[in-house]
Amino acid sequence: MAGEMPFETPLVEMRKKIDELKQFGDEKGIDFSDEITRLEERYRELEEGIYSAISPSQKMHLARNHQRPTSLDFIQLIFTDFIELHGDRLFGDDLAIVGGIAKLNDTPVTVLGQQRGKDTKDNIARFFGSPHPEGFRKALRLMQQAEKFGRPIITFIDTKGAYPGITAEERGQSEAIARNLRDMASLRVPVICVVIGEGGSGGALALGVGNRVLMLENAIYSAISPNGAASILWKDASKADQAAEAMKITAQDLLEMEVIEEIVPEPKGGAHKDYEAAAESIKSSVVRHLNELSSKTADELREERYQKFRKIGKFGVAKK
């Protein structure tokens, strides 16, 4: 099994036993088909039990799995004729955000996403998927270009948060994020956002103001990372699992609270088990939502987007 998590250990051990029994039977010429069939059935039952009861903290670890598909993986699998565009025309090119023009089936679109690295060298170059201000400004430049030419915008959200270092602060991190929030709210083309891994803090929201927000089944989305919340609440970042259980960060929680519009199913065990199947699920959902949005006028798209975010944050007053 690729990229197995600790809670998957019983599955790994049982699969190992099944494979060993098959190999032994082949080597000795003994028919173990009945035993293998029974073990396979037990494996399927165990698999169903484990994956149907994944906890929020386990989803957090799935969302952070280093083998999970990245924005570029999905862009290459979902779109055709992708041309990556670079730079913010002000400072430089931030590799933590990728973007360009592509075709979704036959529809020209602008696609953007936060990009984690595939190895240590790549992660360092991409700041582990945490953008600097020039990354957000590059994204906004491409979104404004999309609006000019009437292209729908699709964004992939996958970041622990904006880069927290002094270099980002010197170049106006908070202003860059705030400008994206403001200007995305007024875009006159359809905007569809997909949370594919970990969507954390303002770094995620800077690409997340869309008419429709979708989440992969095992993704998480929160105003602060569980590690950050644990550091504040308990002065101990190692209690991230405990924070994740309390923060309502899963796709199921956010759909119930009407923060997102749809949960996109993943292959059993997570998107890293089958990139192509995960990409096909995303593509099907994005195409369906884009078809629904294509009939709306620019004013309707803006108003719908405004109302979507205006209603988030309902609260009640406790009775005495």
Side-chain angles (χ1 to χ4, degrees):
M1 295 174 67
E4 60 270 6
M5 308 299 291
F7 66 87
E8 295 177 298
T9 300
L11 289 174
V12 176
E13 293 176 348
M14 183 170 288
R15 175 51 60 189
K16 184 179 178 181
K17 290 178 181 178
I18 294 171
D19 293 341
E20 288 175 349
L21 186 58
K22 287 180 178 179
Q23 183 179 355
F24 182 76
D26 291 340
E27 291 174 352
K28 302 298 182 181
I30 304 173
D31 183 10
F32 289 117
S33 57
D34 290 342
E35 291 82 353
I36 291 171
T37 299
R38 285 194 292 271
L39 285 173
E40 290 281 8
E41 180 61 29
R42 286 175 57 191
Y43 180 89
R44 285 190 291 271
E45 292 173 356
L46 180 62
E47 184 181 51
E48 182 62 31
I50 287 175
Y51 292 138
S52 63
I54 300 177
S55 69
S57 61
Q58 289 170 339
K59 286 181 181 289
M60 176 185 73
H61 293 293
L62 277 174
R64 293 175 172 177
N65 190 307
H66 69 281
Q67 294 189 11
R68 195 171 176 85
T70 65
S71 293
L72 280 177
D73 290 323
F74 283 130
I75 288 171
Q76 291 162 4
L77 290 167
I78 294 171
F79 304 91
T80 58
D81 302 323
F82 174 63
I83 301 174
E84 186 174 356
L85 302 176
H86 298 273
D88 68 341
R89 303 296 187 265
L90 291 170
F91 181 84
D93 187 35
D94 184 354
L95 299 182
I97 287 186
V98 296
I101 55 178
K103 285 186 177 178
L104 178 61
N105 293 335
D106 294 323
T107 303
V109 298
T110 288
V111 58
L112 298 154
Q114 285 117 355
Q115 178 65 24
R116 296 177 286 108
K118 287 289 191 177
D119 53 38
T120 301
K121 183 179 179 180
D122 197 21
N123 262 318
I124 291 172
R126 297 185 185 278
F127 299 98
F128 293 84
S130 294
H132 279 69
E134 55 268 26
F136 297 122
R137 290 173 180 138
K138 172 172 69 173
L140 182 58
R141 179 177 74 84
L142 298 184
M143 287 188 277
Q144 290 170 337
Q145 180 196 77
E147 182 179 45
K148 178 179 179 180
F149 291 101
R151 291 193 297 265
I153 298 166
I154 293 109
T155 72
F156 293 111
I157 296 170
D158 187 17
T159 182
K160 287 182 171 64
Y163 187 74
I166 190 170
T167 53
E169 294 301 321
E170 287 173 342
R171 299 201 285 270
Q173 186 73 289
S174 59
E175 185 275 341
I177 293 173
R179 183 181 293 270
N180 276 31
L181 300 182
R182 183 194 69 184
D183 290 0
M184 284 190 77
S186 62
L187 289 168
R188 300 175 65 82
V189 293
V191 183
I192 299 175
C193 309
V194 188
V195 185
I196 61 173
E198 180 173 11
S201 194
L205 196 56
L207 264 65
V209 184
N211 295 88
R212 307 287 167 83
V213 180
L214 319 178
M215 280 183 72
L216 278 177
E217 182 180 356
N218 295 312
I220 60 173
Y221 198 22
S222 58
I224 187 173
S225 72
N227 305 72
S231 296
I232 293 171
L233 293 174
W234 299 292
K235 311 299 182 186
D236 185 356
S238 67
K239 293 185 177 181
D241 285 2
Q242 185 177 341
E245 297 288 340
M247 288 173 63
K248 303 293 184 183
I249 60 176
T250 69
Q252 293 74 16
D253 291 325
L254 295 168
L255 181 65
E256 184 178 345
M257 294 187 289
E258 300 182 2
V259 174
I260 66 171
E261 275 67 47
E262 183 178 333
I263 299 173
V264 180
E266 296 186 28
K268 190 166 289 185
H272 60 289
K273 302 291 186 182
D274 190 336
Y275 282 27
E276 289 78 12
E280 186 57 38
S281 292
I282 293 175
K283 183 176 181 179
S284 176
S285 295
V286 169
V287 168
R288 176 163 34 82
H289 284 285
L290 190 56
N291 287 338
E292 294 173 2
L293 294 171
S294 62
S295 62
K296 298 180 183 293
T297 66
D299 289 338
E300 287 173 337
L301 290 169
R302 294 175 67 182
E303 180 62 19
E304 179 185 281
R305 200 179 304 128
Y306 170 79
Q307 293 299 336
K308 168 183 166 52
F309 285 89
R310 185 70 178 84
K311 72 180 182 180
I312 293 175
K314 296 177 182 178
F315 65 93
V317 178
K319 295 181 180 180
K320 293 182 179 180

